[in-house]
Amino acid sequence: MVKVTYVAADGTRTDVDAEPGSNVMQTALDNDVDGIVGECGGAMMCATCHCYVDEDWTGATGARNDGEDDMLDCAADEVKPSSRLSCQIKLTEALDGLVVHLPEEQA
Amino acid sequence: MPLAPVDETVSIGDLVRDPYPIYRRMRAETPVVRVPSVKRTFLTKAAHTKMVKDDVVRFSSNDPTTPMEPAFRAHTLMRKDGEEHRRERMAMQKAFTPKVIKTNWAQLYRDITDRYLDRLPRGETVDLYSEICAPVSARILTHILGLEGASDEEMMRWSQQLIDGAGNFGWDPKLFEITDKANDEMDVHIAACAERLRAEPNDSALSLMVNAADPIPWSQIVANIKIAIGGGINEPRDAMATIVYGLLTNPDQLEEVRRQEAWGAAFEEGIRWVAPIQASSRLVMEDTEIGGIDIPKGDIVMSIQASANRDEELFEEGEDYHVFRDKNPHQAFGTGPHHCAGAHIARRTVGEIMMPELFERFPNMSLPDPEAIVWHGFGFRGPLSMPVTLN
């Protein structure tokens, strides 16, 4: 299992055990984590799974995928260098312990 | 596994009048069911509608027998998948982002809403549907798309005619004659607007598309604008009228919405309760199985989001309007790659501007005869009028 911590905009932390191979958006939905909507189901066609990767983890999660920048322009909340679409962060053992912060607004 | 059971009893007329008791029965008895009158296999459970829309490999958007194609005289992005769909959608998506709405348009939308509210007489009964819901949606959309010069009447008529054509599952040729004429008119107006926007660009969807460094083909620019006309007036109109009805027939909820300023939640619940777009088709690309039923390649399944939105597995008392639900995972905007491109706009215009301004202006508005409201539609659904007494 891969441990992922979601930090809500109000600071609430939720720890979740994820299946390797899943992604950060789907894992949130599967575990009822509020603050990630994922309306397009991971097709990179909405920006309602926007998250900020914790600064300790930006190296491990890597660069944005093709098309992700364009879609992030459509995010409801501020886009920062650490912004990602969480559907595009695939969970591997290397991301065990990952921390992501959630924006105030998704839709 | 068995093939889908066949329901010969359901007619299009029944579905247009009131599909909800039919869907409730289907969810309980035959959640995956062939409906010969519509020539499609209905999927009535939320898990199935979501799964089908998220999986464009097994379930293609390219329904070959869609009335949309003759209605729009185009193969639109709604019937495409993959890269082609992405490219056409992204060509105008940036005109619809929360940031663009907030910084460029929100004040204009407020002014438009105010102007139309100013025209209403106090102390009388007026049809909000025709006086506010439809024309305000039309006026706002004219600006979003870059179609200045089109009247409210034209925008509303084009939208209605496109929708009637796209929902023409009975393939009545008369409806396509009407859409042909509307298409001729729209083609002329869109071309004139494009010429103006090439000279004077702005943040509208049409301007963005015609002035792009690597524009999509003109035929697809026009088709995209038509899709937005079809989807950008009737849906906010029907959503708004439905929410007004939901709040005025549940005064305790209205009071609480006011207290908490929970207009966003009132909006989400309205479109869950009666989704303006109720159903969408997908072509089955390989032999597959849904809910223990064999679905053969070439079948056309219909995702009934109207039914998914009342699925007992997700919603308690789903047949009723309840703003303050713990969670509201409705599918009114669809799911998957074809998730509504106008969702942000709808939430902000209807939920954050139109609804609060209306109830602020007329705090004691009442609905004299809720029973007299006629609800109508199978593919697209809403009330046909919303007469309220203003004071």
Side-chain angles (χ1 to χ4, degrees):
Chain A
M1 299 301 261
V2 182
K3 193 183 129 197
V4 182
T5 301
Y6 298 86
V7 185
D10 68 3
T12 312
R13 297 172 75 91
T14 309
D15 295 332
V16 166
D17 285 323
E19 297 285 342
S22 185
N23 61 58
V24 174
M25 179 275 291
Q26 194 57 48
T27 299
L29 296 193
D30 292 345
N31 291 280
D32 277 337
V33 177
D34 285 336
I36 285 191
V37 183
E39 274 182 324
C40 82
M44 225 166 47
M45 279 302 194
C46 72
T48 63
C49 70
H50 178 200
C51 74
Y52 306 112
V53 176
D54 189 86
E55 59 183 27
D56 290 344
W57 289 93
T58 48
T61 49
R64 292 174 190 162
N65 290 336
D66 271 356
E68 206 176 327
D69 274 324
D70 272 351
M71 209 63 241
L72 276 167
D73 280 346
C74 301
D77 220 317
E78 183 192 358
V79 177
K80 303 174 187 174
S82 62
S83 285
R84 293 292 307 271
L85 294 177
S86 60
C87 68
Q88 300 300 307
I89 305 175
K90 199 170 173 184
L91 289 166
T92 60
E93 299 289 348
L95 291 179
D96 187 24
L98 174 68
V99 179
V100 295
H101 301 262
L102 306 182
E104 264 180 54
E105 266 195 303
Q106 289 285 15
Chain B
M1 267 172 282
L3 288 168
V6 178
D7 193 330
E8 300 276 5
T9 65
V10 173
S11 71
I12 291 187
D14 296 336
L15 292 164
V16 166
R17 274 185 298 276
D18 186 6
Y20 285 114
I22 298 169
Y23 295 152
R24 188 169 51 204
R25 172 171 59 78
M26 286 175 172
R27 286 195 301 276
E29 296 171 6
T30 53
V32 178
V33 61
R34 186 77 194 156
V35 180
S37 61
V38 190
K39 302 187 185 74
R40 282 162 175 62
T41 301
F42 280 20
L43 309 176
T44 60
K45 297 288 284 177
H48 296 154
T49 55
K50 179 165 166 47
M51 180 274 289
V52 158
K53 287 194 167 176
D54 284 352
D55 184 349
V56 295
V57 177
R58 266 195 302 164
F59 304 100
S60 163
S61 305
N62 191 13
D63 172 358
T65 60
T66 174
M68 252 186 110
E69 188 141 0
F72 284 76
R73 286 203 307 217
H75 190 52
T76 75
L77 79 168
M78 288 189 70
R79 303 268 74 100
K80 296 176 181 177
D81 290 314
E83 269 316 300
E84 207 183 357
H85 167 246
R86 172 179 298 278
R87 179 165 149 73
E88 288 186 23
R89 177 166 162 138
M90 287 309 288
M92 64 175 174
Q93 186 68 54
K94 284 189 185 177
F96 304 153
T97 68
K99 284 182 207 86
V100 169
I101 298 165
K102 223 179 276 179
T103 47
N104 301 1
W105 299 116
Q107 191 54 48
L108 175 67
Y109 299 166
R110 276 195 195 91
D111 295 345
I112 290 172
T113 307
D114 281 343
R115 203 163 71 230
Y116 283 74
L117 288 174
D118 287 344
R119 304 196 308 204
L120 297 180
R122 283 178 187 263
E124 289 181 26
T125 298
V126 302
D127 182 13
L128 272 192
Y129 176 91
S130 57
E131 297 297 325
I132 295 293
C133 307
V136 172
S137 301
R139 191 59 10 218
I140 286 177
L141 189 74
T142 310
H143 291 280
I144 297 173
L145 298 184
L147 297 180
E148 282 87 347
S151 68
D152 293 353
E153 185 278 325
E154 283 171 318
M155 292 291 284
M156 292 188 294
R157 180 167 53 79
W158 291 336
S159 180
Q160 188 62 53
Q161 290 171 344
L162 286 173
I163 292 279
D164 290 344
N168 185 12
F169 291 99
W171 289 81
D172 177 353
K174 282 200 204 76
L175 287 178
F176 293 134
E177 284 169 27
I178 294 172
T179 49
D180 271 346
K181 186 163 172 295
N183 275 295
D184 287 342
E185 293 171 8
M186 284 185 280
D187 288 347
V188 170
H189 186 62
I190 295 168
C193 290
E195 198 171 326
R196 173 172 49 77
L197 291 165
R198 280 194 188 97
E200 298 168 41
N202 63 18
D203 289 317
S204 67
L206 182 56
S207 180
L208 212 65
M209 288 193 285
V210 297
N211 294 310
D214 177 21
I216 59 173
W218 173 247
S219 60
Q220 297 318 110
I221 292 178
V222 172
N224 270 2
I225 291 290
K226 288 178 185 169
I227 286 287
I229 294 173
I233 299 177
N234 287 18
E235 285 66 34
R237 174 199 70 193
D238 293 349
M240 190 177 178
T242 297
I243 300 158
V244 167
Y245 182 94
L247 290 173
L248 291 181
T249 52
N250 293 280
D252 50 330
Q253 293 187 44
L254 172 57
E255 196 183 316
E256 196 55 21
V257 166
R258 273 210 181 95
R259 203 178 64 77
Q260 297 189 24
E261 294 192 20
W263 301 104
F267 170 80
E268 299 294 333
E269 176 62 358
I271 60 173
R272 178 203 68 80
W273 186 48
V274 182
I277 301 179
Q278 299 243 306
S280 7
S281 299
R282 292 290 186 271
L283 173 64
V284 180
M285 301 303 284
E286 57 189 70
D287 287 348
T288 186
E289 171 268 324
I290 301 174
I293 299 286
D294 274 337
I295 304 286
K297 177 180 174 178
D299 194 9
I300 296 170
V301 290
M302 200 163 213
S303 141
I304 310 284
Q305 45 267 17
S307 176
N309 282 359
R310 297 187 178 195
D311 189 340
E312 292 74 8
E313 279 183 46
L314 293 181
F315 303 100
E316 275 180 39
E317 299 182 19
E319 304 292 333
D320 300 327
Y321 182 83
H322 281 306
V323 173
F324 297 97
R325 296 179 178 279
D326 270 356
K327 296 213 168 200
N328 195 349
H330 67 74
Q331 297 177 21
F333 288 123
T335 61
H338 290 269
H339 168 264
C340 175
H344 284 307
I345 300 178
R347 287 184 164 120
R348 276 160 182 78
T349 55
V350 181
E352 291 180 11
I353 296 175
M354 291 158 78
M355 295 307 300
E357 299 230 346
L358 173 67
F359 280 94
E360 197 173 298
R361 185 72 70 93
F362 300 106
N364 299 312
M365 183 167 54
S366 60
L367 190 60
D369 189 3
E371 298 299 314
I373 306 284
V374 176
W375 299 78
H376 178 92
F378 159 58
F380 305 89
R381 189 170 182 82
L384 294 180
S385 68
M386 196 53 58
V388 299
T389 305
L390 304 173
N391 42 34

